[in-house]
Amino acid sequence: MTKDTASSTASNDQPLSDRVNNRSRRPATKAFREFVASGWDRTPVPAQPMEVAPYALQRREALSRAFPGERLVIPAGGLKVRSNDTDYRFRAHSAFVHMTGLEMDSEPDSVLVFEPTEDGHDVTFYFRPRAGADTEEYFSDSRYGEFWVGPREDLETMATKTGIACDNIAVASDAFTKDLGSISVRVVRGADTTIDAQIDQARAQVGADSDVSTVGDDELAQTLSEMRLIKDDFEIGQIRHAVDVTRAGFDHVVQSLPRAIEHARGERVIETAFELAARTDGNGVGYDTIAASGNHACTLHWIKNTGQVRDGDLVLVDAGAEVDTLYTADITRTLPANGTFTEVQAKIYDAVLEACEAAFAKAGEHVQRPVKFSEVHDAAMHVIAHKLEEFGVLPVSAEEALSPEGQQHRRWMVHGTSHHLGLDVHDCAQARAEMYTDAHLEPGMVFTIEPGLYFKDEDLLIPEEFRGIGVRIEDDILVTEDGVENLSANFPRTRAEIEEWIRGARG
């Protein structure tokens, strides 16, 4: 298009709103509007309380007790543009999900507000309710209209499902910005920038101290994060379900290995094999799948998955299915692409597996004595350092490397051994160190154990035969009254089990 052509096109009589969104043009006649609004069955679908509703109520009550006399604002967040007029699938902020129990793609642009009362809080869920068939929204609004995105709940139905009083999002702004001169308000920042801006403006109008407000908001995020450190029975059940779906995904991965070896982008073959189960049996993946063959396994967050899978490579697959309730699993297995570990691969794999077992055993000691979360990592590192000493790659002794002044062994495992797991793959991330790293293990905690060794092709300080080998083994662990439970215990873990797994998949 020449400049002259562009100019004449831009200056025609077509309204700009039509010119920039030509695909959504629709009739505007009175006859059309009357006809499209008629003849629809608008009988509400009977609703039942969600299974999670009593658990979510307990969570809201605990949050209310933590902030008496203060208004709390927890937005769901909004849709994010992927390209032009296409949005990413919506996924609400995890704090919002935890407090409401809502699932899958519910409810963009909504907000949960805790209004203080003499004996706690009145909680109201503000969202965009179902529109009548006689409204413009019903047939023409591509963000909310039923013709475009499917049916929505009305206020009464949503209240029944969630057990929360509901109101229209149109009146929410007044609910969370009113009377800020006489009441403190805290907001989960970053979830919805529009709500952040509205609250910031209201704070400025009453001369609120911005530093104090920031600290207050951070404390709310911290508390919401720490509330998820101990999972309730509903959450544990959902994580179990996510692990089961993830196992199905890994079975698809193992079956895909011969095809992956044949394809120019075999890592993508593996990635999509896993996502078949994650999307059909769950809501999707809980995080971008890592399908890393050969040297790519030494890049900790390799998610491009564009590489070849060569016969003889080890393939590191780090993947987790997210179920409809938005809880995720997080499992890693390192697989020989051709079904058999070489001698060097076996030596490295067994070292990592021994570190896993040491960490698992350390976690189980909480029954006899208090065990800090950080001790699980330390137990794995003890094994890793001594194995590296055996391999002859450490420049110092294992004990010197393990000292605070050393840490040379971390060159080959720079990440931590464990992280909490739940609604987020790295759950509870805003918790204080004393509640996370330095906390004692308690029943209901769910976390990963995932040591690894990564020997890059480019590493000149290791034997050549080690180069290009990356191994990580990751399981999901539940702390119980009697010890610890490996939630992913039905995944093959030993070399013999993995080789048999691959043989079995090949029939």
Side-chain angles (χ1 to χ4, degrees):
M1 179 185 292
T2 66
K3 289 184 178 179
D4 289 342
T5 305
S7 175
S8 64
T9 302
S11 62
N12 65 24
D13 294 331
Q14 185 184 20
L16 180 61
S17 59
D18 287 341
R19 282 187 276 118
V20 299
N21 196 12
N22 290 295
R23 65 183 289 268
S24 64
R25 296 182 70 181
R26 60 190 71 84
T29 64
K30 182 175 181 294
F32 169 76
R33 289 173 183 274
E34 290 176 351
F35 184 67
V36 79
S38 64
W40 303 108
D41 182 356
R42 304 293 287 165
T43 305
V45 177
Q48 297 293 328
M50 297 185 298
E51 180 185 354
V52 70
Y55 295 95
L57 173 60
Q58 292 175 6
R59 300 166 196 167
R60 294 192 299 274
E61 290 173 344
L63 185 63
S64 174
R65 291 191 295 270
F67 297 101
E70 299 186 82
R71 181 180 298 147
L72 311 177
V73 180
I74 306 175
L79 295 165
K80 293 180 174 62
V81 174
R82 186 181 187 278
S83 64
N84 190 28
D85 58 350
T86 303
D87 296 318
Y88 287 101
R89 287 193 183 99
F90 179 69
R91 204 276 194 191
H93 192 283
S94 292
F96 174 88
V97 175
H98 195 237
M99 287 294 117
T100 64
L102 288 170
E103 303 180 353
M104 297 177 69
D105 58 352
S106 300
E107 270 293 327
D109 305 318
S110 62
V111 62
L112 192 67
V113 178
F114 288 64
E115 185 65 24
T117 63
E118 290 185 0
D119 56 354
H121 288 83
D122 287 336
V123 183
T124 305
F125 175 33
Y126 296 90
F127 73 103
R128 183 74 167 257
R130 186 185 196 192
D134 58 345
T135 64
E136 184 86 3
E137 176 184 308
Y138 179 73
F139 67 88
S140 68
D141 189 325
S142 61
R143 190 178 185 95
Y144 298 109
E146 287 192 32
F147 262 65
W148 295 82
V149 298
R152 302 177 56 78
E153 308 290 5
D154 56 33
L155 295 175
E156 294 77 14
T157 301
M158 185 65 81
T160 299
K161 287 178 59 176
T162 62
I164 308 172
C166 293
D167 207 341
N168 196 306
I169 189 65
V171 300
S173 179
D174 289 342
F176 55 70
T177 59
K178 67 183 180 182
D179 303 328
L180 290 200
S182 58
I183 190 171
S184 171
V185 62
R186 299 176 190 252
V187 60
V188 174
R189 299 194 71 85
D192 190 315
T193 56
T194 300
I195 290 176
D196 289 350
Q198 290 172 334
I199 290 177
D200 287 345
Q201 183 180 22
R203 284 170 169 169
Q205 289 173 347
V206 299
D209 187 310
S210 61
D211 291 338
V212 172
S213 296
T214 297
V215 170
D217 294 343
D218 290 345
E219 288 174 349
L220 174 60
Q222 173 185 288
T223 299
L224 286 163
S225 196
E226 291 174 356
M227 286 179 62
R228 287 161 35 205
L229 285 165
I230 307 296
K231 270 56 181 181
D232 59 38
D233 289 344
F234 178 84
E235 293 179 285
I236 292 169
Q238 291 305 304
I239 295 171
R240 290 185 188 278
H241 179 34
V243 171
D244 288 344
V245 177
T246 299
R247 172 61 201 267
F250 268 87
D251 285 339
H252 288 322
V253 165
V254 170
Q255 293 163 8
S256 77
L257 288 174
R259 187 161 54 93
I261 293 173
E262 296 172 356
H263 199 283
R265 294 207 290 186
E267 291 175 345
R268 290 281 175 92
V269 172
I270 290 169
E271 175 188 349
T272 54
F274 179 81
E275 292 181 358
L276 173 63
R279 185 61 179 159
T280 54
D281 298 337
N283 190 51
V285 294
Y287 55 94
D288 287 331
T289 298
I290 297 170
S293 185
N295 194 47
H296 287 164
C298 301
T299 300
L300 299 181
H301 287 171
W302 175 259
I303 58 173
K304 294 181 181 179
N305 301 339
T306 53
Q308 286 184 283
V309 175
R310 297 177 176 85
D311 192 331
D313 278 355
L314 287 184
V315 185
L316 188 157
V317 183
D318 186 333
E322 178 185 81
V323 292
D324 290 352
T325 54
L326 304 180
Y327 288 84
T328 187
D330 182 8
I331 306 293
T332 304
R333 289 295 182 264
T334 305
L335 311 168
N338 62 12
T340 304
F341 289 91
T342 67
E343 184 178 345
V344 174
Q345 291 169 349
K347 180 165 66 172
I348 295 169
Y349 187 92
D350 286 348
V352 175
L353 182 59
E354 187 175 330
C356 283
E357 300 295 1
F360 191 89
K362 180 62 66 176
E365 291 178 11
H366 82 88
V367 177
Q368 288 81 37
R369 64 171 184 86
V371 174
K372 284 187 175 182
F373 188 73
S374 58
E375 291 183 62
V376 177
H377 171 75
D378 293 342
M381 289 303 93
H382 182 84
V383 173
I384 291 295
H386 281 86
K387 287 297 179 181
L388 290 169
E389 183 181 42
E390 288 180 23
F391 296 165
V393 301
L394 273 182
V396 297
S397 70
E399 292 307 316
E400 186 176 344
L402 287 165
S403 70
E405 299 77 25
Q407 300 297 301
Q408 291 89 343
H409 60 290
R410 297 299 298 278
R411 174 187 176 99
W412 296 285
M413 184 185 153
V414 299
H415 62 80
T417 301
S418 298
H419 59 78
H420 282 266
L421 180 69
L423 283 170
D424 294 330
V425 65
H426 296 146
D427 210 29
C428 315
Q430 283 75 46
R432 291 165 291 174
E434 59 265 32
M435 297 292 289
Y436 197 117
T437 307
D438 297 331
H440 291 120
L441 301 188
E442 296 183 45
M445 286 182 171
V446 179
F447 54 83
T448 65
I449 289 178
E450 51 174 313
L453 281 170
Y454 311 93
F455 298 112
K456 287 180 172 289
D457 266 342
E458 303 82 4
D459 191 341
L460 302 180
L461 301 185
I462 57 174
E464 187 173 351
E465 63 182 359
F466 282 20
R467 294 175 191 168
I469 296 177
V471 173
R472 181 163 65 251
I473 304 168
E474 179 178 20
D475 289 287
D476 299 342
I477 310 301
L478 168 66
V479 181
T480 68
E481 295 285 353
D482 301 324
V484 288
E485 178 187 351
N486 183 353
L487 298 177
S488 44
N490 71 334
F491 284 67
R493 294 176 77 244
T494 68
R495 284 189 292 111
E497 289 170 345
I498 285 175
E499 289 178 348
E500 177 58 31
W501 194 15
I502 296 172
R503 282 196 299 272
R506 292 176 176 174

